[in-house]
Every structure is written in C-alpha cells, then in structure tokens.
Amino acid sequence: SQIAASRRANRVLGLVHGNLLLGMSVGWWNDKHNRHHANPNHVDKDPDVGVGALVWTQRQAAERAGFARWLTRNQAWLFIPMLLLEGIALKVSSIQDLRRQRPGERAVEGALLALHYAGYCALLLSCMTPGMAAAFALTHHAFFGLHLGLAFAPNHKGMEMPDPDGERWGHLRRQVLTSRNVRGALLTDWFLGGLNYQIEHHLSLIHI
C-alpha cells in the first residue's frame, strides 16, 4: 500500500503483479503478511510460526507423532530441500484461500489466477514438448521457492518468541526483538531485495 496514493490503485497493482503475473493471491498474501507483522513470532497469532510442515517451539514438537515426528526431528537438514516445494505450496495456499474471500473478491482473484495458469501453460507448451515444459515448470518453481525461502528464513528464525502466557510486549519490543538484520555486500542486498534489513522493514510498515 505504499506505491500509489489510493487504495484502489494499490489493489490493482497487487492483482496484476500478484495474481496475474505471479500466480499468487494478493488477498491471501496481504491477510497472512499483515497478521505476521502485527504479532511477529507469536505462536498463537503469527501464521508464519504456526504448526505446519515445520514446527518452531518445543511445545509444538512434543505434539507431533508418526511421520510428522520424524520430520520434526530432521527438519534442520530437510529445510533446504523442502524449500524446493515452497513455490508450489504458495500457489496451492492462494487457491485454497479463495474460499475465505468475499464473492466479488473471489471472482476477480480467481479469474486472474486462472488466466495466469492458462497463460503459463500455453507459453511453455508453445515452445517446448510437454515433457520439457513439465521439467521447466518444476525447476522454475523449485528455484522460486528456494529463493523466497533464503530471503525470508533469516528474518525471524532463531529470534525471540513472545510467550503467549507471559507479559504483553509493546509494539517496539515486538517488532525489534523478533527481527534480524543480515548485513553483507551489495550482492546480498540485491539478492534479498532489502528484506535483509528486517528490523527497519518491520518498523516502517504501515498497516491499513
């Protein structure tokens, strides 16, 4: 919401770049990301540290059983390989989120997502055999997920996590103690898109 002056223009930009060009629901992303920024690393309120393929606390790990328990015990070395699936997982989550949206929003976002997938498949099949197109799509999404994971993972993992049963943290403490800056050369700044300065990112974001 910081590109254009009006909410409508920002939404159009989000729909074009998110749904149509990237194949990810801007409505799903905004909802998830705003909840994360409101309560970063809070296990009851931040969707990024909820129980999923990975867990983030001893309490979450203790509740795992079967294959999920094995996954938890080995998640440190499985993390990078699992990121190769993140590009597909983000798009699956975008489609699933359409059920949450209001009918008008669902129609617009769903139509743009369908256009993206149809255009993506048509573009690949216009210049590749089906086998090559499938291989390209899998490789493309694997590196997409890996890149996003390498940009997002260092931001909060291993930082303070507010105790849901403890004292209530103020806004400044909540944003700074849960975030991390990763300083490097110009290549690092370019590769991580500025998200390596996560403390400033959290302090400067304005929720609308």
Side-chain angles (χ1 to χ4, degrees):
S1 300
Q2 296 177 335
I3 297 176
S6 72
R7 181 189 293 267
R8 180 181 179 84
N10 282 315
R11 174 154 174 78
V12 170
L13 286 169
L15 288 170
V16 170
H17 288 86
N19 293 60
L20 183 60
L21 298 181
L22 197 56
M24 282 175 51
S25 165
V26 68
W28 164 74
W29 176 258
N30 283 341
D31 174 72
K32 174 179 178 292
H33 200 56
N34 284 342
R35 286 188 286 129
H36 159 71
H37 270 269
N39 292 281
N41 272 16
H42 193 297
V43 293
D44 290 340
K45 299 177 181 179
D46 182 357
D48 288 349
V49 292
V51 175
L54 305 174
V55 297
W56 315 103
T57 68
Q58 291 288 345
R59 183 184 302 177
Q60 291 173 338
E63 297 173 354
R64 308 279 263 187
F67 176 73
R69 188 172 183 83
W70 176 87
L71 191 65
T72 296
R73 285 201 304 266
N74 296 281
Q75 69 179 27
W77 66 270
L78 285 173
F79 179 70
I80 296 297
M82 289 172 67
L83 285 180
L84 300 176
L85 301 174
E86 183 65 11
I88 296 174
L90 292 172
K91 296 192 174 182
V92 171
S93 296
S94 293
I95 295 172
Q96 292 175 334
D97 187 69
L98 292 175
R99 293 175 295 183
R100 177 193 62 84
Q101 299 178 13
R102 295 193 295 268
E105 294 178 351
R106 184 187 308 132
V108 172
E109 293 218 16
L112 290 174
L113 288 176
L115 282 173
H116 167 83
Y117 300 138
Y120 184 83
C121 292
L123 179 63
L124 294 188
L125 292 173
S126 69
C127 55
M128 301 180 188
T129 64
M132 290 179 62
F136 178 91
L138 289 174
T139 304
H140 175 205
H141 284 82
F143 279 99
F144 174 58
L146 181 64
H147 177 238
L148 287 182
L150 293 178
F152 293 153
N155 295 344
H156 299 284
K157 307 302 181 273
M159 301 304 293
E160 293 285 340
M161 300 186 71
D163 184 354
D165 301 320
E167 64 175 308
R168 182 177 176 83
W169 288 14
H171 176 76
L172 182 63
R173 187 180 182 191
R174 197 161 59 233
Q175 302 300 326
V176 173
L177 296 186
T178 61
S179 304
R180 171 190 290 117
N181 282 351
V182 179
R183 293 182 176 86
L186 288 175
L187 182 61
T188 302
D189 292 347
W190 174 82
F191 183 78
L192 299 180
L195 287 174
N196 45 318
Y197 300 104
Q198 191 67 194
I199 295 175
E200 287 80 2
H201 171 66
H202 265 258
L203 290 177
S204 65
L205 186 67
I206 300 174
H207 300 284
I208 298 177

